[in-house]
Amino acid sequence: MLNVKGALVLCSAFLWLQGKCGAFVVTSHRAPFTRSASSASTSLFGVVSSMSLEHLDPDHEVEGTRISASIVKWLDTEWMPQTVHVEMAESAKQSYVTSRTSGETDVMGILLRVAEDLERDWPLYDKDAFNNAWDIGNYVSDYIASRGAGIDDCKCNNKIY
């Protein structure tokens, strides 16, 4: 069981990593100590805010198809071409489309939807998959950030196809 101190350490680590490599940046309107990086700023006393999704295609089906193709290319390049990659990518696409058509505008919400949907159906993929549901959810988050959100890429992200 995770204690309060452990939970605080995990949350702090998550927020630090997300500010460095992921879908979220730390911003502030009141903290005196800030530093700028492209369109985002970070601060010691900032708050976490989600990146804009305005750079994505407004046709969620089209963007979902791009995400799916990108996932397949990533997994096929990382491992070897497999049918399970297409199946997991299709699930991620459907999760993305469902999230966006239901009004989701937060990258973390999309990441969670993708990963949780894959995890729910994991017995379908488990035998042949080399990556897990959360790897794919994180890839979708990195994909969204790479599509022009103004978030600097870092070496800890997967190559986006």
Side-chain angles (χ1 to χ4, degrees):
M1 194 71 171
L2 189 62
N3 63 26
V4 174
K5 184 178 179 184
L8 290 174
V9 169
L10 283 175
C11 286
S12 297
F14 173 75
L15 291 174
W16 179 82
L17 279 174
Q18 287 299 83
K20 297 292 182 192
C21 313
F24 299 91
V25 294
V26 177
T27 61
S28 174
H29 301 288
R30 54 193 167 107
F33 306 107
T34 61
R35 64 184 169 90
S36 294
S38 68
S39 66
S41 65
T42 58
S43 161
L44 181 60
F45 304 107
V47 295
V48 176
S49 63
S50 181
M51 78 171 82
S52 169
L53 301 181
E54 293 174 355
H55 60 285
L56 299 175
D57 195 309
D59 183 335
H60 305 313
E61 190 72 32
V62 169
E63 194 66 50
T65 300
R66 286 186 187 128
I67 290 170
S68 178
S70 183
I71 291 169
V72 170
K73 178 75 172 162
W74 164 56
L75 292 173
D76 285 356
T77 301
E78 185 85 11
W79 301 103
M80 63 184 194
Q82 290 185 289
T83 304
V84 72
H85 297 162
V86 175
E87 294 165 352
M88 292 186 302
E90 183 60 28
S91 173
K93 171 189 172 181
Q94 292 308 316
S95 299
Y96 172 82
V97 171
T98 301
S99 291
R100 296 293 282 141
T101 55
S102 69
E104 181 66 71
T105 59
D106 183 65
V107 177
M108 182 57 90
I110 294 168
L111 179 154
L112 289 172
R113 177 77 170 248
V114 167
E116 288 172 351
D117 287 354
L118 281 164
E119 197 171 58
R120 180 193 65 227
D121 297 331
W122 198 248
L124 300 172
Y125 315 119
D126 189 36
K127 182 179 175 191
D128 297 320
F130 294 107
N131 289 70
N132 67 40
W134 294 95
D135 294 329
I136 295 168
N138 284 324
Y139 182 86
V140 170
S141 170
D142 292 345
Y143 170 91
I144 291 170
S146 77
R147 290 265 295 135
I151 305 300
D152 295 331
D153 190 22
C154 79
K155 301 298 180 208
C156 62
N157 290 351
N158 288 303
K159 179 179 178 185
I160 304 300
Y161 293 92

